[in-house]
Every structure is written in C-alpha cells, then in structure tokens.
Amino acid sequence: DTGVSQNPRHKITKRGQNVTFRCDPISEHNRLYWYRQTLGQGPEFLTYFQNEAQLEKSRLLSDRFSAERPKGSFSTLEIQRTEQGDSAMYLCASSQGTGVRNTEAFFGQGTRLTVV
Amino acid sequence: KQEVTQIPAALSVPEGENLVLNCSFTDSAIYNLQWFRQDPGKGLTSLLLIQSSQREQTSGRLNASLDKSSGRSTLYIAASQPGDSATYLCAVRPPPRMGGGTSYGKLTFGQGTILTVHP
C-alpha cells in the first residue's frame, strides 16, 4: 500500500450529468476526508468518515453531493446534475485515529473535474 | 470560525537562499498544525506536523515553528533548490469539541504560498 489512491485523475463532463469519484485510503486508516480545491485557493473541507459512519458534512456539500464509505474502506463521492461551479480538484485524505488522537493526514493525487 | 492566512502569496528567490514562509490563524485553540507541499495539478504531500504542545519540528532542510498563543507558524527552508518550487500550504486542526465531538482531523487551510526557486 503506497498511499491514498483516487480515480479517475481527470474527469470532463457536460453540465447536468452525474459523476462519481472513488478514493482508496491507506489500508489501516479509519478516518477519511473529502476536500474541494479551486484554482488559487487552499482545500476546503467537504465531509468526514470514521470507519463507515459519515460524521460531519460541510455546508458546501449541497444536496446534489453524496458520499459513502460502505464497508469502512474505500469511499465514493457522487455529484448529481453537475454545474460549472462544481469544476474543481476533489481531494481525498486519510488518517488513523482513536478518540482525540489523530495521525497526520495523507492526501491522494486528487480528481480534477471540469464541467463544460 | 477559524481563518488561516499565508504570507506572502508568492515568493521568487535565487537558488541557495534561505527563506521563511508565514502562516497565521485566528483561533489559537488548535490541536496541531500541518505544512504541505503541492506541485501543480497534484495532490498534497505532508511535510511536517507540529502538535499544539510543541514549538518546532525539523525534517532535513525544513524547520517549522509554532507559536500557538500568537496564532503563528513559520516554515523555514534552508539552502533552497529549484526542486523546492511548489505551493506550500499550512493547515490547522481543531481540538475536540466540548462535551465530545466528531471533527477529529478536519483541517482548515490557508490559501498557500507559491514558491519559485530559480537557478
């Protein structure tokens, strides 16, 4: 296991289409995060899983967005009815933690979404 | 709401110079602070993690300091090289919420400093 893996690396879609991204975290990590990054900005938090439970969602995550982590391993992020404003880099990160203790976060290479 | 600011937004230096990148945060109640590097179109690579109880961390030519009470961190890069050219991001992690909470590990990022080291 060499790190956090994200697929696809790039996705171009037409406005109104649905897209799904996948994240495979580092295998022993129980915590998984999705972030969104637009050009020239730092990443912004979207949602967080501990094992299979989605414990927090940002207000940025509109009802068109849904994330799952069905078996506490890989996660998917789906965007329905994509809009041009959804164009961004979607980053996944994972870490290992128990209670308040948390290791450093490791990020994947991201999925670059372009909505045309 | 935590806000993280990085100064300068961009920095261009000749090879060999020592340089300092600055990060400030508005809420000093943090759990830890992490510095990342991001190459164009790529994900983030973790450089250094400083716990709130620590003052500094070192890795090779990199040294990060933390002054939690004043809400500041600096990343010092010694003897810069063209390969150091990238965007450098700092991020803070909040402490657990009073009465328990679920935001373990959620990071708030600055907008980054774009570093160019020219030969």
Side-chain angles (χ1 to χ4, degrees), chain A residues 9 31 33 35 37 40 42-43 45 48 55-56 89 91 99-105 107-109, chain B residues 31-32 34 36 38 41-44 46 49 89 93 96-97 102-107 109-111:
Chain A
R9 292 292 309 279
R31 292 176 174 168
Y33 314 85
Y35 291 82
Q37 185 179 27
F45 170 79
Y48 155 63
L55 297 184
E56 186 167 358
M89 174 79 88
L91 293 161
V100 305
R101 298 180 62 82
N102 202 74
T103 65
E104 64 187 292
F107 280 76
Q109 291 297 297
Chain B
Y31 186 64
N32 55 37
Q34 199 165 352
F36 295 89
Q38 186 174 33
K42 304 289 187 181
L44 279 64
S46 179
L49 173 72
L89 294 152
R93 184 177 278 112
R97 294 174 184 159
T102 58
S103 287
Y104 306 130
K106 171 182 145 181
L107 295 165
F109 283 84
Q111 75 277 30

Side-chain angles (χ1 to χ4, degrees), chain A residues 12-83:
Chain A
I12 300 174
T13 190
K14 292 183 178 179
R15 189 174 52 186
Q17 296 294 305
N18 300 341
V19 294
T20 300
F21 311 140
R22 177 177 169 127
C23 171
D24 287 89
I26 293 172
S27 59
E28 64 268 25
H29 285 183
N30 61 341
R31 292 176 174 168
L32 186 147
Y33 314 85
W34 285 98
Y35 291 82
R36 181 172 69 186
Q37 185 179 27
T38 54
L39 201 61
Q41 301 297 315
E44 295 175 294
F45 170 79
L46 292 179
T47 190
Y48 155 63
F49 288 86
Q50 179 156 311
N51 299 312
E52 67 276 9
Q54 187 175 20
L55 297 184
E56 186 167 358
K57 292 192 291 186
S58 163
R59 286 172 295 177
L60 294 174
L61 213 66
S62 76
D63 56 7
R64 295 185 298 106
F65 288 69
S66 62
E68 294 183 344
R69 194 183 183 197
K71 297 182 180 180
S73 56
F74 72 92
S75 175
T76 58
L77 177 67
E78 180 183 16
I79 309 174
Q80 295 181 329
R81 306 180 303 282
T82 52
E83 302 172 356

Side-chain angles (χ1 to χ4, degrees), chain B residues 61-112:
Chain B
R61 295 183 293 109
L62 304 180
N63 176 277
S65 68
L66 174 64
D67 183 345
K68 198 176 81 159
S69 61
S70 66
R72 293 178 185 176
S73 176
T74 61
L75 179 67
Y76 176 83
I77 302 177
S80 58
Q81 302 171 357
D84 294 331
S85 298
T87 297
Y88 290 81
L89 294 152
C90 73
V92 297
R93 184 177 278 112
R97 294 174 184 159
M98 293 293 289
T102 58
S103 287
Y104 306 130
K106 171 182 145 181
L107 295 165
T108 300
F109 283 84
Q111 75 277 30

Side-chain angles (χ1 to χ4, degrees), chain B residues 13-19 61 76-82 84 117-119:
Chain B
V13 299
E15 182 177 4
E17 270 204 9
N18 302 324
L19 56 98
R61 295 183 293 109
Y76 176 83
I77 302 177
S80 58
Q81 302 171 357
D84 294 331
V117 181
H118 48 89

